[in-house]
Amino acid sequence: MPSSFARRATVARSVRLFREFRHEQTDPDRFYGALADDTATMIADLHPGSIAGSTVLDVGGGPGFFADAFTARGAAYLSVEPDAGEMHAAGLDHRTAVRAQGQHLPFQTASVDVCYSSNVAEHTDRPWEMADEMVRVTRPGGMIVLSYTLWWGPFGGHEMGLTHYLGGHRAARMYTRRHGHPPKNLFGESLFPITAAAGLRWARAAPDATLRLAFPRYLPRWAWPVVKAPGVREVGATNLVLVMVKR
């Protein structure tokens, strides 16, 4: 158990992160800046040694908010993002960003020390192909971290709120009527019903990596056992983190 990160997984951290979610649409710089700092801290804590000097590949890096958080910790940061509009949404420098699909990473096998993806798997209809690619590009002994929002959790509908429990397509129609435009994350096109059970099946069956840890990202340490409860975890975990080590 990575004790340094477990110690950080407090109620205070959970409350702070959940509060930041309120600003995702209205103040993305604030929201993604806070999320980037938390992500880099989490990866550094989970890493078996110092992350300084490691090559970190961010699959689905978006506008580049995470770059500064990792370079500040001494890592060599690279990112992959398929959407050109998303890459330039914040006007940030993209010297270490590559436009590509997560299912076809343009990197050599065993070429990075850490490969992670944060809140991306739910936005592709082929998440486990992306996960396989993340394993492929990671060197033996390196770490793969896949974190994603669970469809049946309270944040599964993203900006559509809890209406996703009425069905993804219906939730999108309700959002459009209320706001006069469709949601950014459109069910069946850029948002898909991913589950914890599917991720755990993939992780346990991965031929070239070993599952070392699975936990709910935004919950305090005492709530982590929810991941062991089938059914309950789909709602209660909200976001699942899979930590793998490449063999």
Side-chain angles (χ1 to χ4, degrees), residues 1 12 61 65 76 84 102 117 119-120 126-127 140 153 169 172 181 184 197 242:
M1 173 65 64
F65 286 110
S117 179
N119 298 324
V120 174
R126 295 180 291 159
H169 294 298
H181 59 82
K184 175 183 177 182
L242 300 172

Side-chain angles (χ1 to χ4, degrees), residues 37-154:
D37 185 68
D38 185 78
T39 299
T41 297
M42 179 180 72
I43 297 295
D45 283 349
L46 293 172
H47 198 260
S50 173
I51 200 172
S54 298
T55 301
V56 176
L57 175 60
D58 177 358
V59 179
F65 286 110
F66 288 38
D68 288 346
F70 278 96
T71 55
R73 290 164 173 79
Y77 175 86
L78 302 168
S79 70
V80 167
E81 171 59 47
D83 188 334
E86 188 72 13
M87 288 179 72
H88 298 287
L92 302 178
D93 190 352
H94 289 278
R95 287 176 295 177
T96 60
V98 177
R99 186 182 178 191
Q101 294 284 344
Q103 294 87 354
H104 303 285
L105 295 175
F107 295 92
Q108 291 184 342
T109 297
S111 60
V112 303
D113 299 301
V114 177
C115 188
Y116 86 93
S117 179
S118 176
N119 298 324
V120 174
E122 68 266 29
H123 298 295
T124 174
D125 61 346
R126 295 180 291 159
W128 313 122
E129 290 183 26
M130 182 185 80
D132 287 341
E133 274 288 270
M134 292 173 64
V135 172
R136 180 187 66 79
V137 301
T138 304
R139 65 168 179 79
M143 185 174 71
I144 303 100
V145 179
L146 179 62
S147 171
Y148 61 92
T149 303
L150 301 173
W151 173 250
W152 294 112

